[in-house]
Amino acid sequence: MTSTVTPVLCGDREIGAYIDGRFVPAVDTTTVALAALVTAAVVAASVSAGLALRRRPAIGTVTMGPGGWLSLKHSGRPALRAGGPARPWWARLLRAHRLVEER
């Protein structure tokens, strides 16, 4: 079986060919590679911008301790209060502080 191939040129570039009367376009690998590179650069820039603009939380992990005590990771220490009920030994050992409303 014999196939007839007729190339189609646009100036010096081959843009496709007629194979048995059907047009088959040529794939320009340079354009495809450049489009993939630009797309990857845009995606990387948008991801890095999104990460740069993301706010960190005010506190880290909140966990519940024994007796309803809360443990707040990566937060500041509350101000000391005079008086009040005595703290349990395990609260002093764990350096736990009550979560109270400040007025």
Side-chain angles (χ1 to χ4, degrees):
M1 179 170 172
T2 306
S3 296
T4 57
V5 177
T6 308
V8 178
L9 299 175
C10 181
D12 292 341
R13 281 182 51 205
E14 185 174 330
I15 60 169
Y18 282 102
I19 301 174
D20 293 332
R22 228 177 52 215
F23 180 73
V24 179
V27 177
D28 187 8
T29 56
T30 304
T31 305
V32 171
L34 185 61
L37 181 65
V38 168
T39 303
V42 167
V43 168
S46 65
V47 167
S48 64
L51 289 176
L53 295 176
R54 185 176 151 250
R55 291 184 55 192
R56 295 191 45 84
I59 58 173
T61 309
V62 178
T63 57
M64 178 77 73
W69 286 71
L70 292 178
S71 175
L72 305 174
K73 304 292 183 187
H74 307 293
S75 64
R77 294 178 60 113
L80 294 176
R81 292 176 290 145
R87 295 174 56 210
W89 64 269
W90 53 265
R92 285 192 298 275
L93 179 70
L94 295 174
R95 297 179 186 169
H97 297 278
R98 284 187 185 267
L99 186 62
V100 294
E101 178 183 349
E102 302 252 342
R103 292 183 187 178

